[in-house]
Amino acid sequence: MFLDKKKLIRTLKLMDNAKKLHFFGEGGSSVLAFDAYHKFIRTKYNCNYIFDYHLQLSYATKLGKDDLVLLFSHSGSTVEIIKIAKVLKKKGIHIISFTGSPNSELVDLSDIAYILYTEEVAFGLESLGARNLYSILIDILWASLTYHDEDKSKNVIKNIRAALSSSKPKS
């Protein structure tokens, strides 16, 4: 994985300016989208994750300029994700994509695309080993945004921990 500093700075600027982050993926990429959502829910951002394609597509029609969508498709050619990307692009919504395919239509539709190419792409396999690369990249983005506004991030995490503490048994 090659992480370009200029691309990272552009990504962080788009994320920092967003009011809400949305995470979409299909199949195995949906698991990656959910993992990213689970991490970013612990930031200052309002976040959204939808599992079902029809709901993702319906929701995409309601988004506005303050929204940022992170699309996950290891193949870069998942029909459903391409359809969502086209709806978002038509509405002028910013898209950050995560894919293993540098020549995909998804890359063309995205404002910023992260290409996480692994050997398994050459064999047409699912993103078995690439999951670690996706997770590392998401962790880099999460940590960068968290430390960018450290006081607010600490307060958000404190409030989440306090809310979740009621679900833990007392020792």
Side-chain angles (χ1 to χ4, degrees), residues 76-105:
S77 60
T78 306
V79 173
E80 294 85 357
I81 291 298
I82 298 300
K83 175 66 175 166
I84 291 169
K86 287 178 178 178
V87 168
L88 295 169
K89 191 72 169 177
K90 188 175 182 180
K91 291 183 57 76
I93 309 301
H94 291 294
I95 300 168
I96 298 174
S97 64
F98 302 85
T99 183
S101 181
N103 301 315
S104 66
E105 187 174 5

Side-chain angles (χ1 to χ4, degrees), residues 20-79:
K20 193 166 190 177
L21 306 177
H22 307 272
F23 301 86
F24 298 151
E26 300 299 320
S29 294
S30 182
V31 175
L32 299 169
F34 181 73
D35 184 55
Y37 161 77
H38 185 257
K39 290 173 183 173
F40 278 91
I41 199 80
R42 289 164 171 76
T43 65
K44 67 179 183 177
Y45 300 97
N46 289 318
C47 298
N48 178 34
Y49 166 80
I50 299 174
F51 180 79
D52 180 78
Y53 163 66
H54 291 114
L55 294 175
Q56 290 174 3
L57 187 58
S58 298
Y59 201 80
T61 67
K62 298 174 75 174
L63 299 182
K65 303 263 186 222
D66 291 337
D67 292 293
L68 175 64
V69 179
L70 293 87
L71 294 178
F72 293 79
S73 174
H74 191 63
S75 70
S77 60
T78 306
V79 173

